Amino acid sequence: MSESHHMTEDAFRRHAHALVDWIIDYRERRVRELPVLSQVEPGEIRARLAKDPPERGEPFEAMLRDVDEILLPGITHWQSPDFFAFFPANTSYPAILGELLSAGLGVQGMLWATSPACTELETHVLDWLVTMLGLPERFRSSGTGGGTIEDSASSAALCALLAARERATGFATNERGVDRPLVAYASTQTHSSLEKAIGVAGIGKGNLRSIDVDEAFAIRPDLLLERIAADRAEGRIPFFVCATVGTTSSNAIDPLPEIGAICEAEGLWLHVDAAMAGSALLLPEMRHLVAGIDGDPAAGVPAADSLSWNPHKWMGTILDCSLL
Ligand SMILES: *Cc1c(COP(=O)(O)O)cnc(C)c1O
């Protein structure tokens, strides 16, 4: 009788139930008892894994035992109620179920035609969020806006940068190249993902200006304006400002009305990085955090051009769920 490597539907049902029970036990009980920060030394987990790729599969029970004995000691427990490091990243039962359904369907969402429901649900929920966050109408898919789910705020920043670059150069960067350096601006407190995106986009890390902050760690608009003027005088092309609403280290809020007015006057793309604090905007009483994002039509100040927000930080969704 030949050995079967195929997991039958009965086996899948049994193992899936066991795994769900394992997850519930982990979340309700064990995570409270385990040390929050993994206590292993570098290489310790790897040393316990088989040196060569296994020739044969193992029973599910043995694999779950490996999870307990080998992997769990190497996990830092972001879901622990005692976790206060890095930034919050809380998952939830509904998010886990959604992930399971998505895996079960094996959805491909790269084009509308590859699964229309995927694109339409994404577009529709992002329009809901325009309503829920009180964002300007131009962020809706019915106009020139519309949101997408990115894997990370890092990717969102890269997309915004590329769009800004092409707008600033009339699509010349792609076709003919530009003969002068493009320059982007952000505060010294900006997340490192922006510097990375500048590098990936080929802008050159030397063309990101880190503007100093005030005592509340918010960017100083006067210094921003000075720096833009100096770059113009030296023949560069200022094109992009990233304002942060909730910096990762201190939740500092950059002043959007002042920055918006500068971007309008100077013709720069304004990207609002609300990766950290975006979830707070679901509360109407917290909308003041993005006061100025809809601009001041009377004064000719438009809304920000783009906004990113990470529900995977503290809205209970699973990484990766970053909205642009
Ligand atoms: C966490 C964070 C990011 C990066 O988010 P990723 O989704 O991990 O790329 C960017 N900006 C701010 C303000 C953040 O807090």
Side-chain angles (χ1 to χ4, degrees), residues 259-281:
I259 299 172
I262 292 172
C263 288
E264 165 63 10
E266 300 283 337
L268 310 185
W269 187 286
L270 175 55
H271 176 64
V272 176
D273 179 359
M276 183 66 151
S279 298
L281 304 177

Side-chain angles (χ1 to χ4, degrees), residues 87 151-154 191 193 244 246-248 273 275-276 310 312-313 322:
F87 50 84
D151 61 345
S152 62
S154 308
H191 192 274
S193 54
T244 305
T247 59
T248 319
D273 179 359
M276 183 66 151
N310 282 358
H312 69 219
K313 278 187 169 147
S322 179

